[in-house]
Amino acid sequence: MRILILLTIAILTFSCNNREKSNLSNNKNLQNLPDKEKGEIDVLNKNAHYIGFINKFYFSNKNEAYIELYFTKDEISSKEYAKLEKLTDSVIYEDDENSRNRFPERLSAKNFDLRGLSKLAIFNDAAKFVCHADFVRVEYLNQDISSSFIAVYKTDKKIKSDDNYYGISNFEKSLETANYTISKDTILTKNILTKLNVPESYNGLKNNGTHILFAKSDTVLSVVNSENSAYIVLLSGGEFKVLYKSPEPENINDLKVIPIIKNKLPYLLTRNSKPDTDMSWDKLLYYDGREYIKTNRQRIE
């Protein structure tokens, strides 16, 4: 009887060990990624390339940065937004004016457009590479001025909060050598606004006109603000062509010329606002051969 009991225990132990080994084998692809859900990982590594402004937490000295996220839905109600706020499960940081709250990983890919956001290559205004950044998590950033859901990244070096940067996600290529120079010529800005027959911006001409002068050519691509609208104009060989007029009241407050060319003209990353309001948003524009149009969720077309 004693021998039978010992034999039974041995069989059960062998069976349990085999079951544990089988489970480990089935999950071996996730063993090195304990903090991320597999669905999220697949989306992050998707072959999609996002271009956007890089933001730094002014209250943090860590090697980290963030971008603002799009929702998976094209439109979201205030009620749905409030529900997402309540889904956060822990506090990452908090002071008198700011808080950072962790959003659950198992729900991140369902609610936010994380396509191709695994890694960022960060560049400065001169399109010079600054550093790499790796995705950490989704957070809700609650601030006095504006709150947003963000993707947080760990950078391999510190970036200054008072400098302007942009990032390109999952992008391994080198940027094209820029064949243009940037000018803020206010006389040219005024001439363009006169030609358009529109009033100047309330803020005057300074910083309301950016002109991209192409080398070895008389071609100029100009981005200008009027009182209520933003325009992109092409000047070439005496030709004056409007390639973009904002579809709603809009001024472009920040502009990055991205050395990625489509149909012979560069991508343009813009930070925009509605005149006389606190409303702001970002756009990535590209030239489709006839005009500049907005990309879908700031992904390269």
Side-chain angles (χ1 to χ4, degrees):
M1 183 68 177
R2 183 180 177 186
I3 294 173
L4 181 60
I5 292 172
L6 291 174
L7 190 59
T8 302
I9 292 171
I11 291 171
L12 288 172
T13 302
F14 179 77
S15 174
C16 288
N17 286 340
N18 275 351
R19 192 178 299 117
E20 288 175 5
K21 287 179 182 178
S22 175
N23 287 339
L24 286 172
S25 175
N26 289 337
N27 291 311
K28 65 182 179 180
N29 292 329
L30 298 179
Q31 286 182 43
N32 295 325
L33 299 160
D35 297 329
K36 294 181 176 64
E37 297 287 332
K38 187 177 185 306
E40 180 182 86
I41 295 164
D42 290 341
V43 173
L44 287 167
N45 289 305
K46 192 170 182 178
N47 186 27
H49 308 294
Y50 167 92
I51 299 179
F53 290 95
I54 299 297
N55 304 293
K56 180 82 169 64
F57 298 108
Y58 72 87
F59 48 81
S60 170
N61 289 320
K62 293 181 180 179
N63 289 23
E64 58 185 2
Y66 70 90
I67 62 173
E68 294 190 16
L69 287 171
Y70 286 87
F71 299 102
T72 49
K73 290 184 176 182
D74 289 332
E75 294 184 10
I76 186 167
S77 68
S78 57
K79 187 176 180 180
E80 289 173 310
Y81 192 96
K83 283 184 178 179
L84 291 176
E85 288 179 310
K86 292 177 182 178
L87 287 175
T88 58
D89 59 15
S90 58
V91 177
I92 303 295
Y93 172 89
E94 188 170 28
D95 61 29
D96 291 339
E97 298 178 345
N98 311 280
S99 67
R100 293 169 54 187
N101 302 279
R102 179 184 178 274
F103 196 85
E105 289 167 356
R106 61 188 174 81
L107 300 174
S108 294
K110 177 182 177 182
N111 292 285
F112 303 101
D113 188 351
L114 303 181
R115 292 173 300 134
L117 296 184
S118 175
K119 295 178 181 292
L120 295 176
I122 298 177
F123 300 87
N124 63 15
D125 272 342
K128 300 297 183 185
F129 174 76
V130 175
C131 66
H132 290 291
D134 293 302
F135 177 87
V136 178
R137 62 180 162 264
V138 173
E139 294 181 16
Y140 175 61
L141 175 61
N142 191 7
Q143 301 181 113
D144 279 346
I145 299 175
S146 63
S147 300
S148 58
F149 288 93
I150 60 176
V152 176
Y153 289 82
K154 182 177 180 181
T155 59
D156 54 21
K157 66 179 284 190
K158 265 182 193 171
I159 60 174
K160 298 177 183 178
S161 59
D162 55 350
D163 285 350
N164 282 323
Y165 303 99
Y166 63 88
I168 306 177
S169 72
N170 291 6
F171 188 77
E172 302 298 332
K173 302 176 184 177
S174 298
L175 293 180
E176 299 187 29
T177 301
N179 66 337
Y180 49 79
T181 55
I182 306 294
S183 168
K184 294 286 187 178
D185 187 336
T186 56
I187 294 175
L188 181 53
T189 300
K190 185 169 182 60
N191 289 340
I192 290 171
L193 292 173
T194 300
K195 183 79 172 176
L196 291 168
N197 194 27
V198 292
E200 295 177 12
S201 165
Y202 292 119
N203 298 319
L205 296 172
K206 188 178 180 181
N207 297 324
N208 276 294
T210 301
H211 311 287
I212 306 160
L213 288 69
F214 291 90
K216 300 178 182 179
S217 167
D218 62 353
T219 300
V220 179
L221 187 67
S222 293
V223 180
V224 298
N225 291 324
S226 72
E227 185 179 286
N228 289 305
S229 300
Y231 296 85
I232 301 175
V233 174
L234 184 69
L235 308 171
S236 181
E239 180 184 17
F240 182 93
K241 187 176 181 182
V242 177
L243 301 185
Y244 173 86
K245 179 186 176 183
S246 53
E248 56 187 329
E250 171 187 82
N251 278 170
I252 292 174
N253 304 314
D254 197 356
L255 171 70
K256 297 285 183 281
V257 182
I258 312 297
I260 298 176
I261 308 299
K262 189 173 181 69
N263 297 314
K264 300 183 179 180
L265 292 176
Y267 277 80
L268 301 176
L269 176 63
T270 64
R271 180 154 279 171
N272 319 284
S273 66
K274 185 175 181 178
D276 296 327
T277 74
D278 292 329
M279 292 177 58
S280 65
W281 59 92
D282 298 344
K283 285 183 183 178
L284 180 65
L285 302 166
Y286 75 98
Y287 182 57
D288 70 352
R290 296 180 299 105
E291 60 184 351
Y292 266 93
I293 60 175
K294 184 178 74 169
T295 65
N296 183 24
R297 295 164 181 251
Q298 293 179 231
R299 266 67 176 188
I300 296 176
E301 297 289 335

